[in-house]
Amino acid sequence: MELKKNLPAIFEDFADARQAAFLKAKALKDQNVPLIGIFCTYFPQELAMAMGASIVGLCATSDETIPEAEMDLPRNLCPLIKSSYGFGKTDKCPFFYFSDLVVGETTCDGKKKMYEYLGEFKPVHVMQLPSDQGEASLALWKSEIIRMKEALEAQFGVTITEEDIRGAIALKNDERRALKHLYGLMKQDPAPVLGQDLFKVLLGSTFEFDRSVLPGNLTAIAEKIQSEYEAGTAVDKRPRILITGCPVGGATEKVIKAIEDNGGVAVAFENCNGTKAVEELVDEDNPDVYDALARKYLNIGCSVMSPNPNRLKMLDTMIDDYAVDGVVEMVLTACHTYGVEARSIKRFVNEKKNKPYITIETDYSSADIGQLNTRLAAFIEML
């Protein structure tokens, strides 16, 4: 079955969400609503939601400000770090400009050193993330979450109660359930939509400041996709690809496009923009809200964790649930944690799951698009 030409129209609002959010950020400032800029999925968003603040992601995905960033940072540094710092330094991103507080986590050496420079022109709070997921690390992360809560209270002159946090946990869990239902539609074969269109929604949802409306909006899109699928609209039968590795977005969406321009379909995203931070809910029955938050967020299977069994566990499940034919790992240049871990992921995918695997190393430029198409076309042809 061919994909109907008018189907992507249902994604337009989410595709334009980042641009629209620039104006919303200005409106929030006019209403004196606190805006907190974050870099990572390890930030417990429920804390900000509990005090009525809005949250926006600051990880930039363009090479526009990298030359400016390289005046302060090494050239052989991850493009995500350089781009993010560059947009903060130059005030070319409204999200940086309007953020009242920037929150970082010590996920990698490059980021945590960059935060020191970022703190010279923005208020920055850094959460000390443990490097493993044991009980001692859980205790440390819980204390960091409490310290984060106290920093928000001090910065904004508010009191964040446990009751407020519980309400935010319930709301955020509703959002996670709606996202899981949406991307879970891709388990169907053939896929109901292209991965490029699904990814627009996943990325666009992060720029919705009113989290209370997000679950309903996501559910409505999922219902429309499913109803059109049942009416006979679907992507033609293609090799099914799972994308894992570094965050995808902006310039690196070229990887998704290259997969689908060369005959595949990206049915699953095991990374920060996909299932990694959404699949597990916060335990609403845990009497200790800080312990509940600490357990959920510390369990995220990011490559910064050593060892990192939760990533393998998620990949194991997703490869089966989405009937994956091959795995594409995208690694940003100089991202050492994902670069080093790629060997163990390749071994797991090839030997444990008996599936083909390829690593793609890229950055935020367009210089390698031809090479990407050549390599991914050969990979998909092999499938």
Side-chain angles (χ1 to χ4, degrees):
M1 291 179 286
E2 294 293 332
L3 185 67
K4 288 183 180 177
K5 296 297 183 184
N6 63 347
L7 183 58
I10 68 174
F11 299 100
E12 286 179 1
D13 288 344
F14 278 95
D16 297 332
R18 188 172 186 271
Q19 189 73 27
F22 292 157
L23 301 176
K24 292 179 183 177
K26 172 62 167 61
L28 290 173
K29 297 309 299 177
D30 292 341
Q31 300 164 28
N32 293 317
V33 175
L35 184 63
I36 298 172
I38 65 173
F39 282 98
C40 187
T41 54
Y42 280 107
F43 173 71
Q45 295 190 18
E46 290 84 350
L47 295 181
M49 294 166 62
M51 59 168 277
S54 291
I55 308 136
V56 67
L58 297 180
C59 284
T61 56
S62 163
D63 61 0
E64 178 185 352
T65 63
I66 285 180
E68 186 72 25
E70 288 177 345
M71 295 174 66
D72 299 341
L73 302 175
R75 294 188 65 189
N76 61 341
L77 188 64
C78 165
L80 185 152
I81 298 172
K82 291 190 293 186
S83 178
S84 298
Y85 176 80
F87 275 101
K89 179 183 177 182
T90 61
D91 271 339
K92 288 186 176 179
C93 175
F95 298 144
F96 272 101
Y97 181 79
F98 289 121
S99 290
D100 299 293
L101 178 68
V102 171
V103 179
E105 303 86 358
T106 54
T107 46
C108 73
D109 291 341
K111 270 189 178 180
K112 73 182 183 183
K113 298 304 291 184
M114 180 269 282
Y115 297 146
E116 296 178 17
Y117 295 134
L118 195 62
E120 294 176 2
F121 45 83
K122 268 291 180 184
V124 175
H125 177 92
V126 178
M127 300 183 74
Q128 302 297 324
L129 181 71
S131 59
D132 66 44
Q133 296 160 325
E135 287 300 313
S137 294
L138 178 65
L140 172 61
W141 191 232
K142 177 182 173 181
S143 71
E144 281 297 290
I145 289 175
I146 294 172
R147 188 172 71 89
M148 179 78 254
K149 190 266 295 189
E150 293 170 347
L152 291 172
E153 291 176 323
Q155 173 85 11
F156 298 102
V158 298
T159 299
I160 301 174
T161 68
E162 292 191 13
E163 182 180 356
D164 292 333
I165 296 173
R166 288 192 188 282
I169 287 173
L171 181 58
K172 187 67 180 174
N173 275 348
D174 285 343
E175 177 188 324
R176 293 184 181 106
R177 291 186 189 97
L179 282 166
K180 288 170 66 173
H181 175 60
L182 174 66
Y183 61 66
L185 297 178
M186 299 297 276
K187 294 176 183 177
Q188 300 173 105
D189 191 8
V193 293
L194 289 171
Q196 295 173 73
D197 292 321
L198 174 67
F199 191 78
K200 289 175 184 176
V201 181
L202 297 179
L203 187 62
S205 69
T206 65
F207 298 108
E208 175 54 70
F209 294 130
D210 186 354
R211 315 306 287 190
S212 65
V213 305
L214 189 54
N217 291 345
L218 292 169
T219 299
I221 286 184
E223 289 174 350
K224 178 156 186 155
I225 292 172
Q226 186 60 31
S227 66
E228 296 201 11
Y229 184 70
E230 292 171 358
T233 300
V235 179
D236 50 303
K237 184 74 172 174
R238 303 175 176 207
R240 299 167 63 83
I241 306 298
L242 180 149
I243 298 178
T244 185
C246 290
V248 180
T252 50
E253 288 179 50
K254 62 188 175 184
V255 175
I256 307 174
K257 187 175 188 301
I259 289 170
E260 298 189 328
D261 283 354
N262 289 285
V265 57
V267 294
F269 301 94
E270 189 282 317
N271 50 30
C272 300
N273 316 94
T275 64
K276 193 181 293 293
V278 177
E279 195 67 21
E280 182 177 334
L281 304 179
V282 178
D283 183 1
E284 297 181 41
D285 296 325
N286 189 329
D288 184 340
V289 293
Y290 303 109
D291 180 75
L293 289 172
R295 290 180 183 277
K296 182 268 178 294
Y297 282 94
L298 192 63
N299 277 348
I300 293 172
C302 179
S303 65
V304 300
M305 292 294 161
S306 183
N308 187 22
N310 289 347
R311 185 182 179 198
L312 296 181
K313 189 183 304 181
M314 181 169 287
L315 281 170
D316 190 13
T317 300
M318 291 181 69
I319 288 171
D320 292 342
D321 288 351
Y322 289 84
V324 169
D325 296 307
V327 173
V328 173
E329 175 146 26
M330 191 207 76
V331 178
L332 290 172
T333 303
C335 181
H336 299 311
T337 59
Y338 274 104
V340 172
E341 194 167 272
R343 178 174 180 265
S344 64
I345 299 301
K346 180 179 188 297
R347 191 163 50 195
F348 175 80
V349 172
N350 287 164
E351 298 176 9
K352 300 294 184 182
K353 303 304 292 182
N354 296 311
K355 299 292 182 181
Y357 165 99
I358 187 173
T359 306
I360 298 293
E361 183 177 320
T362 189
D363 57 18
Y364 291 164
S365 75
S366 59
D368 62 349
I369 288 178
Q371 182 189 59
L372 285 177
N373 277 293
T374 299
R375 293 190 66 203
L376 287 168
F379 180 71
I380 291 165
E381 178 67 24
M382 175 189 68
L383 300 179

